Amino acid sequence: MTPGIEVPLASYQLIQNSQPIACYICGNDNTYSAEHCRCCYAPMALAHQARVTGIQPRTIALVGASAAGKTVYLGMLMDMLSRRMQPLHVLTRGAFSISMQQTTTTALSHGWFPDKTPNEPDRWNWVHCQISSNKKRRPLDLIVPDMAGEAILEEINHPNTFPVVRSMLSKCCGVILLIDAIRLQSGDQTQDFSTMKLLSFLGDLERDRSIGGRLWRTTNQIPIAIVFTKADECESCFNDPVAFAESHALGMLRQCRDRFPRHAIFACSVAGACGYRESLGDGRRRIPLRIEPRGIVEPLTWMVEQVSRR
Ligand SMILES: Nc1nc2c(ncn2[C@@H]2O[C@H](COP(=O)(O)OP(=O)(O)OP(=O)(O)O)[C@@H](O)[C@H]2O)c(=O)[nH]1
Ligand SMILES: [Mg+2]
Ligand SMILES: [Zn+2]
């Protein structure tokens, strides 16, 4: 004989979850309990946070070709800013925002660079933080995802393969564009080509009417910070980033000067020196011999200044 059991219907849950919630990045409706947006895979935690706090954070796109140094740069930037009080410091919002910093600093402290960012957008790390400066301005809420370089270029070459990239770039109110200085200096033109592709994609994008679009009525007004990464291995880049761009990335520089008057050029490095280590399974891997961050905070300081100006 089967004993009778009581099962509560809990129908209140159906009513609670019946209201859709719009994705903060692409604006498409999702079910209340969704973890990632069904269209662009951005974390729905961003939409929930915006709803609860009533704050509409601005988005900054961190872009660059694969292995340009985006993950290492963003992880180090967040780690540095979260451990100091002034002049610019951050307060991360949401536990998910700390994963980025944790992954990078854990890898670096164990003597490795972090792994390549997976192409699947639901596996990307997103940072939502509140940035305050000592200039008595209101704190600025920012969202910065760590996108995979391959996914960014794939979306540019084959539209709609990674819709989150398009949504992010049309919504953002500033772009930090990273370029590998070592590869540029060695004469590898792919860095210059992929940067030019990115800039022309950005210039031709229809601006989102929401935050980014309202802030910068035309795309040409959008601030772009060009950052040469891995400058520890080319000192000339540190000394004069503009002269370095003129001699190694003239195509990118011309496009920037013609289409994006609001730009600035920086150089940075996270490692002080690099070497190689044999690892079981992975073969020969490039490793940081010491961590000596230089020029990490300056691009963001400039960007915050630009974004707060309007
Ligand atoms: N010399 C030097 N090399 C660096 C530095 N930062 C990163 N690298 C090297 O660049 C590689 C790629 O760095 P990532 O931050 O993973 O690059 P990414 O742009 O996130 O690449 P994707 O995830 O594929 O888009 C690292 O594995 C290091 O070998 C640096 O400051 N100095
Ligand atoms: Mg990465
Ligand atoms: Zn979405």
Side-chain angles (χ1 to χ4, degrees):
M1 199 180 97
T2 315
I5 51 164
E6 273 184 28
V7 180
L9 266 175
S11 47
Y12 68 92
Q13 281 192 356
L14 292 173
I15 296 164
Q16 208 177 37
N17 295 347
S18 66
Q19 287 291 321
I21 179 161
C23 165
Y24 190 74
I25 301 299
C26 71
N28 284 306
D29 280 345
N30 285 269
T31 51
Y32 197 83
S33 53
E35 190 184 346
H36 294 278
C37 168
R38 68 194 162 85
C39 301
C40 75
Y41 300 104
M44 288 306 293
L46 299 172
H48 289 288
Q49 273 173 351
R51 210 164 91 139
V52 171
T53 59
I55 299 170
Q56 300 279 303
R58 310 227 171 119
T59 49
I60 300 269
L62 182 76
V63 293
S66 181
K70 298 179 292 297
T71 305
V72 174
Y73 173 77
L74 187 60
M76 181 51 71
L77 177 71
M78 286 303 139
D79 196 52
M80 286 172 73
L81 294 183
S82 60
R83 288 173 200 277
R84 65 183 201 173
M85 283 316 288
Q86 49 181 306
L88 201 72
H89 60 272
V90 304
L91 197 65
T92 41
R93 285 186 174 270
F96 68 93
S97 298
I98 298 169
S99 308
M100 160 89 242
Q101 184 181 335
Q102 187 185 7
T103 320
T104 310
T105 46
T106 308
L108 291 176
S109 62
H110 285 92
W112 299 102
F113 281 114
D115 289 336
K116 180 183 172 321
T117 309
N119 281 355
E120 298 79 19
D122 55 344
R123 293 173 61 197
W124 295 351
N125 283 316
W126 290 66
V127 176
H128 178 192
C129 60
Q130 193 179 58
I131 300 199
S132 313
S133 67
N134 58 358
K135 288 194 177 165
K136 293 225 168 62
R137 286 207 186 102
R138 277 215 328 239
L140 186 69
D141 267 65
L142 279 186
I143 291 174
V144 193
D146 176 30
M147 301 189 275
E150 275 174 19
I152 299 173
L153 286 179
E154 193 63 18
E155 174 62 25
I156 293 173
N157 292 327
H158 307 286
N160 295 320
T161 40
F162 288 92
V164 66
V165 175
R166 184 173 294 267
S167 307
M168 256 308 294
L169 289 176
S170 59
K171 193 181 176 68
C172 68
C173 61
V175 176
I176 301 180
L177 174 52
L178 302 195
I179 309 173
D180 185 334
I182 305 178
R183 276 158 77 182
L184 260 188
Q185 198 181 33
S186 68
D188 181 349
Q189 290 296 306
T190 53
Q191 288 292 300
D192 198 20
F193 287 135
S194 40
T195 314
M196 286 198 286
K197 270 188 189 175
L198 255 163
L199 288 173
S200 70
F201 179 78
L202 201 64
D204 298 340
L205 255 188
E206 212 173 291
R207 304 295 302 149
D208 189 329
R209 286 283 127 211
S210 59
I211 299 167
R214 217 183 302 135
L215 195 64
W216 314 110
R217 230 172 275 132
T218 68
T219 309
N220 295 10
Q221 288 180 323
I222 198 165
I224 299 190
I226 310 271
V227 185
F228 291 116
T229 54
K230 315 180 189 180
D232 50 294
E233 296 195 30
C234 37
E235 204 56 37
S236 63
C237 179
F238 258 130
N239 297 339
D240 192 347
V242 178
F244 184 84
E246 278 166 354
S247 48
H248 295 97
L250 198 57
M252 176 280 291
L253 193 64
R254 278 211 187 116
Q255 206 170 7
C256 239
R257 285 178 176 160
D258 283 357
R259 301 188 74 173
F260 303 99
R262 202 184 277 263
H263 71 267
I265 303 181
F266 303 89
C268 80
S269 69
V270 170
C274 291
Y276 288 91
R277 194 199 280 179
E278 292 291 336
S279 86
L280 267 179
D282 286 342
R284 202 158 174 257
R285 276 185 72 169
R286 202 174 156 75
I287 54 155
L289 293 178
R290 58 174 195 271
I291 303 302
E292 211 173 88
R294 282 170 77 188
I296 302 288
V297 182
E298 288 78 352
L300 188 76
T301 311
W302 177 83
M303 185 57 76
V304 168
E305 189 79 18
Q306 297 295 313
V307 172
S308 319
R309 204 180 269 181
R310 294 278 296 259

